[in-house]
Amino acid sequence: MEEPSFKHFNGVRSKLYIIVFGTDTPAGKLFDVVLLVAILLSIVVVMLESVSALQARFDHVFDLLEWTFTILFSIEYITRIFITRRPEKYVFSFLGLIDLIALLPTYIALFVTGGSYLVVIRAIRLLRVFRILKLTRYLSEAQMLGSALNSSKRKILVFMGAVSTLVMITGTLMYLIEGGQNGFTSIPRSIYWAVVTVTTVGYGDIAPQTVLGQSFATVLMLMGYAIIAVPTGIVSSEMRKMDKRAEIEGSRPCSRCKEMNPKDANYCMKCGNQY
Amino acid sequence: MEEPSFKHFNGVRSKLYIIVFGTDTPAGKLFDVVLLVAILLSIVVVMLESVSALQARFDHVFDLLEWTFTILFSIEYITRIFITRRPEKYVFSFLGLIDLIALLPTYIALFVTGGSYLVVIRAIRLLRVFRILKLTRYLSEAQMLGSALNSSKRKILVFMGAVSTLVMITGTLMYLIEGGQNGFTSIPRSIYWAVVTVTTVGYGDIAPQTVLGQSFATVLMLMGYAIIAVPTGIVSSEMRKMDKRAEIEGSRPCSRCKEMNPKDANYCMKCGNQY
Amino acid sequence: MEEPSFKHFNGVRSKLYIIVFGTDTPAGKLFDVVLLVAILLSIVVVMLESVSALQARFDHVFDLLEWTFTILFSIEYITRIFITRRPEKYVFSFLGLIDLIALLPTYIALFVTGGSYLVVIRAIRLLRVFRILKLTRYLSEAQMLGSALNSSKRKILVFMGAVSTLVMITGTLMYLIEGGQNGFTSIPRSIYWAVVTVTTVGYGDIAPQTVLGQSFATVLMLMGYAIIAVPTGIVSSEMRKMDKRAEIEGSRPCSRCKEMNPKDANYCMKCGNQY
Amino acid sequence: MEEPSFKHFNGVRSKLYIIVFGTDTPAGKLFDVVLLVAILLSIVVVMLESVSALQARFDHVFDLLEWTFTILFSIEYITRIFITRRPEKYVFSFLGLIDLIALLPTYIALFVTGGSYLVVIRAIRLLRVFRILKLTRYLSEAQMLGSALNSSKRKILVFMGAVSTLVMITGTLMYLIEGGQNGFTSIPRSIYWAVVTVTTVGYGDIAPQTVLGQSFATVLMLMGYAIIAVPTGIVSSEMRKMDKRAEIEGSRPCSRCKEMNPKDANYCMKCGNQY
């Protein structure tokens, strides 16, 4: 016979589990939304803390907010471990590790006082932003975009390989043409310039000075202009295929002649058969 | 029995209403075009007034033009209130509020002499530019573009969310990698740099200096290159759907139920009527 | 009875006409190609002449080439007038005016010695580059691209109007936010910055310095990112329609059931009818 | 009767041939992958060698690695000549010449000591990166992208010609408007600026300063915004055609003549065979 208190405890645990890990019940959805708002607020605090002017003025406010969020997230973390049947699965999952790593900095800062490492440790809390990815579950649009990118993954990788080869060759050539006195001090730095140019970012921190270098850069820019069309074509083609599939899924074949008709059709367009 | 003068007054009012608010009659169209030209001219005056060299030389000309336009727009505003049956509906509409706000600066400038606020007050008149949006009524192209953007709104928002997460994470990482001595003085400023980079704008006011930072920026730029394909794919897909719909709309209606059927249909999809 | 010498003269004239204005005969094509090569060479000479280092060293060579090309093009111009039945039609055509304007500078330079106007006058000869447009006659691709741009002209104009309104409003706002001390010295200059930003060019000659200005610029950049998708969608949609039309033109209807079949089909896909 | 040793030698040669030149056997694939990894490593060494800080510290390591790779690639080169029936075909092929040119620098550096030419000679070894192109054989995606670019080659060339004409004319106009004191020192340099602007790269090393120049640049940027849609439209259209072809290829072959017919065909297009 089961111990009643343990049974009761298990009931609470499974209820909590549905709220904390589940996303289907109203309570589960509310919990996720509250958590995400808390995460976004804590991220804003970390960001504002990095602005030295604000840090100097609102030091105590930031400290208070930091501890409030840390304690809240600590409770959430312990609850998650407590209510899962296999805690090790959650702890070593991607989101579980991020939850832990994002908690530690505030506690570590208690012992490590001063020093330039503190800034790095504080910023680690920003990793919580990855939790936003959980939102994607609610959005069919995100899933569609994700799957469009996913199915064109191989093509985009090949494209990236081609662009990498192009920038390696052009970077080296520019290193030889322009040389260190014009900012092209090494081949990796020249490749960085080539990427800045071919992606049409164009910082201007390094720019060709010689006539030959500028002519060469002109050709590279015009190539980048044509090249940018390729990923666009890939993603467009993938989305077209998805639209077509959605269309087919949204249409019924005629029971007599098998012609595909829109979902809301009452009669077959080809043979007049009534659905 | 109705008072004749009031009846006459109502006749003038409804005629004016058709001219001022209507867009279908020749007089109504002419009124809109004249108004838009006046608005554009008044905007040009505000713009040129902000150029200090011109302001110093043509001060009196600008004053004269400013008052001419303000009096004209005041007459227009009062007429609009006067001829509408429910003036409060116009006054609190988006365009009605803009009309009022754009009028006030010149009158306020009479009382507030000097001070740096004057520049701000003057520039508010530029809000009249929103009236250009009224032109969209005449252009089916604008409606088509608008509806293409509108129906892909959710997808574009999801995309913007993904880009926001990306720039938040990369901005924070660059803040840790480069630090304040290379211009990445705070996390918000580093995020600003990440947006400048991923959208391929590339001002170059902040640019990575360390080898690690430049390598990281290279990856971000190449990602931005692939990412820019996504909104293009979304809008293209939306326009394709609209083309298809327009094609269908250009086909034959059923002779019985008026349902639109593709050109090659043998039977009506809705009522089964044979063509 | 016709005067024989005049008849002979007319024969030479019509032969010359076919060579100089015609594009169908081998001689006509050869003339066009030779002329275009000469134009391109003369353009290269004008360009190199503007480089002060080269101008100093090869002054006499440039003078010689300049006169050679001018005399050649003068002969061509006189021939064109001489052989056309209605010379005024050619002289006042777009290409005819450019031919004349491109000839004048060298002759004017004989009388106007020295002075800064000379540089301007010389560069006018570069207008001959418009003659390259004649090449489009030989290229069906150019015609296709041209007609794709032409039929999406109205949509692109509407799009340009929307972008213009956007940059006017954002330019004014940035003028108010940043002010003259950060480079936003006037509204037109701020609008120039907004165009540089929204088109993702990003020179960096003017860049926001305040936190509010940078936040605002971030929003504008992300909007520009989504907006750039619109012209792409427009042109893609137009090209799709042209592909479809070309496909239909490249296919024959079945003589029995009127089903469209590819051009190279021997039998109808639907009813098996032999072509 | 054949000499046994020669026969044996021929057997070894043809086995080696299949490994070194072939790509179908597991050994052939392994050889290619090992070779490409070695090439990529040797390229990384050349790149790092160009960073002066690393060159100073790891001079001897770089020398050792350089010689190791050179000897390995020399053995590979000699083997390739040795095992081909027509060595001259390999030696004068594109990849053969690159293999040779990439080997020479290290040997030349033995005799040419010091001098600024050494840097150039060393960087030549980077040309080996072209060998990455061999990888394309394994990737159907690369072939698809390549063929999409190839079949839109003519359209892209026409587009490039149009852009070239545009930048030539706008470059010249900006040279006249802005002049040398604002960085537009010659027509070629102004054309370089026009390319930087129209491709939306926007270094900012040269930027218009006058009001007229900035207005003109604004128009050019907005044109560049619309123009960038053209190559995207071209590549998208090409990919759409390829998708359609792939779809057709994925449909049923005729049971009699093996001609590919769309899935919904009732009769074969080529031979009239009923499905």
Side-chain angles (χ1 to χ4, degrees):
Chain A
M1 206 182 129
E2 282 180 343
E3 205 186 349
S5 72
F6 189 75
K7 197 179 174 182
H8 172 71
F9 163 81
N10 264 359
V12 168
R13 202 164 81 161
S14 65
K15 263 182 202 156
L16 267 173
Y17 185 88
I18 287 163
I19 291 169
V20 174
F21 282 94
T23 55
D24 298 328
T25 60
K29 278 187 188 171
L30 185 70
F31 178 83
D32 274 13
V33 169
V34 169
L35 183 61
L36 280 167
V37 169
I39 288 167
L40 286 177
L41 284 177
S42 75
I43 285 167
V44 168
V45 169
V46 178
M47 282 181 183
L48 294 180
E49 223 175 332
S50 77
V51 183
S52 50
L54 295 176
Q55 166 68 15
R57 259 181 83 181
F58 301 106
D59 195 18
H60 289 292
V61 181
F62 284 139
D63 264 18
L64 188 71
L65 286 168
E66 205 180 304
W67 276 107
T68 313
F69 283 121
T70 304
I71 289 165
L72 278 174
F73 292 133
S74 300
I75 293 169
E76 183 225 342
Y77 186 70
I78 291 163
T79 311
R80 276 181 194 273
I81 291 177
F82 181 68
I83 60 173
T84 331
R85 266 178 205 281
R86 282 180 296 168
E88 73 283 357
K89 211 183 139 190
Y90 162 68
V91 170
F92 294 106
S93 71
F94 178 66
L95 285 177
L97 285 171
I98 280 178
D99 282 353
L100 181 64
I101 292 166
L103 278 177
L104 294 180
T106 321
Y107 296 110
I108 290 171
L110 276 182
F111 308 102
V112 184
T113 48
S116 64
Y117 292 107
L118 217 62
V119 150
V120 181
I121 288 166
R122 259 178 195 153
I124 287 169
R125 277 172 292 162
L126 257 161
L127 285 172
R128 271 178 214 139
V129 87
F130 277 113
R131 281 233 154 232
I132 292 174
L133 297 174
K134 283 188 68 178
L135 256 175
T136 54
R137 274 187 292 185
Y138 300 115
L139 298 161
S140 61
E141 276 81 7
Q143 280 161 8
M144 200 199 144
L145 285 183
S147 89
L149 277 179
N150 200 49
S151 56
S152 52
K153 198 173 51 184
R154 270 178 69 100
K155 275 186 206 157
I156 285 178
L157 273 179
V158 165
F159 168 72
M160 285 298 171
V163 170
S164 302
T165 310
L166 178 70
V167 296
M168 257 196 265
I169 293 166
T170 50
T172 307
L173 281 172
M174 285 303 275
Y175 170 69
L176 297 180
I177 291 170
E178 291 279 333
Q181 72 277 16
N182 291 333
F184 295 77
T185 48
S186 69
I187 293 178
R189 201 172 150 83
S190 300
I191 290 172
Y192 162 75
W193 169 85
V195 172
V196 167
T197 299
V198 93
T199 57
T200 77
V201 170
Y203 287 132
D205 52 348
I206 317 168
Q209 304 296 326
T210 64
V211 172
L212 189 59
Q214 289 182 345
S215 314
F216 195 76
T218 299
V219 174
L220 184 61
M221 282 180 251
L222 289 173
M223 282 176 79
Y225 212 41
I227 286 170
I228 211 167
V230 175
T232 308
I234 294 170
V235 173
S236 281
S237 154
E238 223 48 62
M239 289 202 166
R240 197 164 46 241
K241 281 178 202 163
M242 295 181 77
D243 284 354
K244 207 169 262 179
R245 223 169 299 143
E247 220 167 66
I248 288 168
E249 276 163 20
S251 70
R252 298 178 303 171
C254 170
S255 59
R256 195 159 69 192
C257 74
K258 308 300 170 209
E259 172 77 16
M260 281 313 219
N261 285 280
K263 232 177 183 167
D264 56 345
N266 299 328
Y267 295 90
C268 172
M269 294 191 297
K270 277 292 164 212
C271 69
N273 179 36
Q274 186 169 2
Y275 273 102
Chain B
M1 203 182 131
E2 281 180 342
E3 204 187 349
S5 73
F6 189 75
K7 196 180 176 181
H8 172 71
F9 164 80
N10 264 358
V12 168
R13 203 164 79 160
S14 67
K15 261 182 204 156
L16 266 173
Y17 185 87
I18 288 163
I19 292 170
V20 175
F21 282 94
T23 55
D24 298 329
T25 60
K29 278 187 187 171
L30 185 70
F31 177 82
D32 274 14
V33 169
V34 168
L35 183 61
L36 280 166
V37 169
I39 288 167
L40 286 177
L41 284 177
S42 74
I43 285 167
V44 168
V45 169
V46 178
M47 282 181 182
L48 294 180
E49 222 175 333
S50 77
V51 183
S52 50
L54 294 176
Q55 165 69 16
R57 259 182 80 184
F58 301 107
D59 194 18
H60 289 292
V61 182
F62 283 139
D63 265 18
L64 187 71
L65 286 168
E66 206 180 304
W67 276 107
T68 313
F69 283 122
T70 303
I71 289 164
L72 278 174
F73 291 135
S74 301
I75 293 168
E76 184 226 339
Y77 186 70
I78 291 163
T79 311
R80 275 181 194 273
I81 291 178
F82 181 69
I83 60 173
T84 330
R85 266 180 205 278
R86 281 180 296 168
E88 72 283 359
K89 209 184 142 190
Y90 162 67
V91 169
F92 294 106
S93 72
F94 178 67
L95 285 176
L97 285 171
I98 280 178
D99 282 353
L100 181 64
I101 293 167
L103 276 177
L104 294 180
T106 321
Y107 294 112
I108 290 171
L110 275 182
F111 306 103
V112 184
T113 49
S116 64
Y117 292 107
L118 218 62
V119 150
V120 182
I121 288 166
R122 259 182 195 149
I124 286 170
R125 277 171 293 162
L126 255 162
L127 285 172
R128 269 179 216 138
V129 86
F130 278 113
R131 280 233 155 233
I132 292 174
L133 297 175
K134 282 190 67 179
L135 255 176
T136 55
R137 274 187 291 186
Y138 299 116
L139 298 161
S140 61
E141 276 81 9
Q143 280 160 9
M144 200 199 143
L145 285 183
S147 89
L149 277 179
N150 199 48
S151 56
S152 52
K153 198 174 51 184
R154 269 178 70 100
K155 276 186 205 155
I156 285 178
L157 274 178
V158 166
F159 169 72
M160 284 298 171
V163 171
S164 301
T165 310
L166 178 71
V167 296
M168 258 196 265
I169 293 167
T170 51
T172 307
L173 281 172
M174 284 303 275
Y175 170 68
L176 297 179
I177 292 170
E178 291 278 332
Q181 71 279 15
N182 291 332
F184 296 77
T185 48
S186 68
I187 293 177
R189 201 171 150 83
S190 299
I191 289 172
Y192 162 75
W193 169 85
V195 172
V196 167
T197 299
V198 93
T199 57
T200 78
V201 170
Y203 287 133
D205 51 349
I206 317 167
Q209 304 296 326
T210 64
V211 172
L212 188 59
Q214 288 181 346
S215 314
F216 195 76
T218 299
V219 174
L220 184 61
M221 281 180 250
L222 289 173
M223 281 176 78
Y225 211 40
I227 286 170
I228 211 167
V230 176
T232 307
I234 294 170
V235 174
S236 282
S237 154
E238 223 48 61
M239 289 202 167
R240 197 165 46 241
K241 281 179 202 163
M242 295 181 77
D243 285 354
K244 208 168 261 179
R245 224 170 298 143
E247 221 166 65
I248 288 167
E249 275 160 23
S251 68
R252 300 180 304 171
C254 170
S255 58
R256 194 159 69 192
C257 73
K258 308 299 169 208
E259 170 77 15
M260 282 311 207
N261 284 281
K263 249 173 182 161
D264 57 343
N266 298 330
Y267 296 91
C268 172
M269 294 191 298
K270 275 292 162 213
C271 68
N273 180 35
Q274 187 168 2
Y275 274 102
Chain C
M1 204 180 130
E2 282 180 342
E3 203 186 349
S5 71
F6 189 74
K7 197 180 176 181
H8 172 70
F9 163 81
N10 264 358
V12 168
R13 203 164 79 158
S14 66
K15 262 181 204 157
L16 266 173
Y17 185 87
I18 288 163
I19 292 170
V20 174
F21 282 93
T23 55
D24 298 329
T25 60
K29 278 187 187 171
L30 185 70
F31 178 82
D32 273 15
V33 169
V34 167
L35 183 61
L36 280 166
V37 169
I39 287 168
L40 286 176
L41 284 177
S42 74
I43 285 167
V44 169
V45 169
V46 178
M47 282 180 182
L48 295 181
E49 223 175 331
S50 77
V51 183
S52 50
L54 294 175
Q55 165 68 16
R57 258 181 82 182
F58 301 106
D59 194 19
H60 289 291
V61 181
F62 284 138
D63 265 17
L64 189 70
L65 286 168
E66 204 181 303
W67 276 106
T68 312
F69 283 121
T70 304
I71 288 164
L72 278 174
F73 292 134
S74 301
I75 293 169
E76 185 226 341
Y77 186 70
I78 291 163
T79 310
R80 276 181 193 272
I81 291 177
F82 181 69
I83 61 173
T84 331
R85 267 178 205 279
R86 282 180 294 169
E88 73 283 359
K89 209 184 141 190
Y90 163 67
V91 170
F92 294 106
S93 70
F94 178 66
L95 285 177
L97 285 171
I98 280 177
D99 282 353
L100 181 63
I101 292 166
L103 276 176
L104 293 180
T106 321
Y107 294 111
I108 289 171
L110 275 182
F111 306 103
V112 185
T113 48
S116 64
Y117 292 107
L118 216 63
V119 150
V120 181
I121 288 165
R122 260 181 195 149
I124 287 169
R125 278 171 291 162
L126 255 161
L127 285 173
R128 268 178 216 139
V129 86
F130 277 113
R131 281 237 153 227
I132 292 173
L133 297 174
K134 283 189 66 179
L135 255 176
T136 55
R137 275 187 292 185
Y138 300 116
L139 298 161
S140 61
E141 275 82 8
Q143 280 161 7
M144 200 199 144
L145 285 183
S147 89
L149 276 180
N150 200 48
S151 56
S152 52
K153 196 174 52 184
R154 269 178 69 101
K155 274 186 206 157
I156 285 178
L157 274 179
V158 166
F159 169 72
M160 284 299 171
V163 171
S164 301
T165 309
L166 179 71
V167 296
M168 258 197 265
I169 292 167
T170 50
T172 307
L173 281 172
M174 284 303 274
Y175 170 68
L176 298 179
I177 292 171
E178 291 279 331
Q181 71 278 15
N182 291 332
F184 295 77
T185 49
S186 69
I187 293 178
R189 201 171 151 82
S190 299
I191 290 172
Y192 162 74
W193 169 84
V195 171
V196 167
T197 299
V198 93
T199 57
T200 78
V201 170
Y203 286 133
D205 51 348
I206 317 167
Q209 304 297 325
T210 64
V211 172
L212 189 60
Q214 289 181 346
S215 313
F216 195 75
T218 299
V219 174
L220 184 61
M221 282 180 251
L222 289 174
M223 282 175 78
Y225 211 40
I227 286 170
I228 211 166
V230 176
T232 308
I234 294 170
V235 173
S236 281
S237 154
E238 223 48 62
M239 288 202 167
R240 198 166 44 241
K241 282 179 202 163
M242 295 181 77
D243 284 353
K244 207 168 261 179
R245 223 169 298 144
E247 220 167 65
I248 288 167
E249 275 162 21
S251 69
R252 297 178 302 172
C254 170
S255 58
R256 195 158 70 190
C257 72
K258 307 299 171 211
E259 171 77 16
M260 282 312 219
N261 285 280
K263 232 177 184 167
D264 56 344
N266 298 328
Y267 296 91
C268 172
M269 294 191 299
K270 277 291 163 213
C271 69
N273 179 36
Q274 186 169 3
Y275 274 101
Chain D
M1 205 180 129
E2 282 179 339
E3 205 187 349
S5 72
F6 190 73
K7 196 181 175 181
H8 172 73
F9 163 80
N10 265 358
V12 169
R13 202 164 80 161
S14 66
K15 261 181 204 156
L16 266 173
Y17 184 87
I18 288 163
I19 292 170
V20 174
F21 284 93
T23 56
D24 298 328
T25 61
K29 278 186 187 170
L30 185 70
F31 178 83
D32 273 14
V33 169
V34 168
L35 183 61
L36 279 166
V37 169
I39 288 167
L40 285 176
L41 285 177
S42 75
I43 285 168
V44 169
V45 169
V46 178
M47 282 180 181
L48 294 180
E49 223 176 331
S50 77
V51 183
S52 49
L54 295 176
Q55 166 68 15
R57 259 181 83 182
F58 301 105
D59 194 18
H60 289 291
V61 181
F62 284 139
D63 265 18
L64 188 71
L65 286 167
E66 204 180 305
W67 276 106
T68 313
F69 283 122
T70 304
I71 289 164
L72 277 174
F73 292 134
S74 301
I75 293 169
E76 184 226 342
Y77 186 69
I78 291 163
T79 311
R80 276 180 194 274
I81 291 177
F82 181 69
I83 61 173
T84 331
R85 265 177 207 281
R86 283 180 294 170
E88 73 283 358
K89 209 184 140 188
Y90 163 68
V91 170
F92 294 107
S93 71
F94 178 66
L95 285 177
L97 285 171
I98 281 177
D99 283 352
L100 182 63
I101 293 166
L103 277 177
L104 294 179
T106 322
Y107 295 112
I108 289 170
L110 275 182
F111 306 103
V112 184
T113 48
S116 63
Y117 292 107
L118 218 63
V119 149
V120 181
I121 287 166
R122 260 180 193 151
I124 287 169
R125 277 172 293 161
L126 256 161
L127 285 173
R128 269 178 215 137
V129 86
F130 278 113
R131 281 236 153 229
I132 293 173
L133 297 175
K134 283 189 66 178
L135 256 176
T136 55
R137 274 186 292 186
Y138 300 115
L139 299 161
S140 60
E141 276 81 9
Q143 280 161 8
M144 200 200 143
L145 285 183
S147 89
L149 277 179
N150 200 48
S151 55
S152 52
K153 197 174 52 185
R154 270 178 69 100
K155 275 186 204 156
I156 285 178
L157 273 178
V158 165
F159 168 72
M160 283 298 171
V163 171
S164 302
T165 311
L166 179 70
V167 295
M168 258 196 265
I169 293 167
T170 50
T172 308
L173 281 172
M174 284 302 276
Y175 170 68
L176 298 180
I177 292 171
E178 291 279 333
Q181 71 277 16
N182 291 332
F184 295 77
T185 48
S186 69
I187 293 177
R189 200 172 151 82
S190 300
I191 289 171
Y192 162 74
W193 170 85
V195 172
V196 167
T197 299
V198 93
T199 57
T200 78
V201 170
Y203 286 132
D205 52 348
I206 317 167
Q209 303 297 326
T210 64
V211 172
L212 189 59
Q214 289 181 346
S215 314
F216 195 76
T218 298
V219 174
L220 184 61
M221 280 180 251
L222 288 174
M223 282 175 79
Y225 211 41
I227 286 170
I228 212 168
V230 176
T232 308
I234 294 170
V235 174
S236 280
S237 153
E238 222 49 62
M239 289 202 167
R240 197 165 45 241
K241 281 179 202 162
M242 294 181 78
D243 284 354
K244 208 168 261 179
R245 223 170 298 143
E247 219 167 66
I248 288 167
E249 274 160 23
S251 68
R252 301 179 304 171
C254 170
S255 58
R256 194 158 69 192
C257 73
K258 308 298 169 208
E259 171 75 17
M260 281 312 206
N261 285 280
K263 251 173 179 160
D264 57 343
N266 299 329
Y267 295 91
C268 172
M269 294 190 297
K270 277 293 163 212
C271 70
N273 180 35
Q274 187 169 2
Y275 274 102

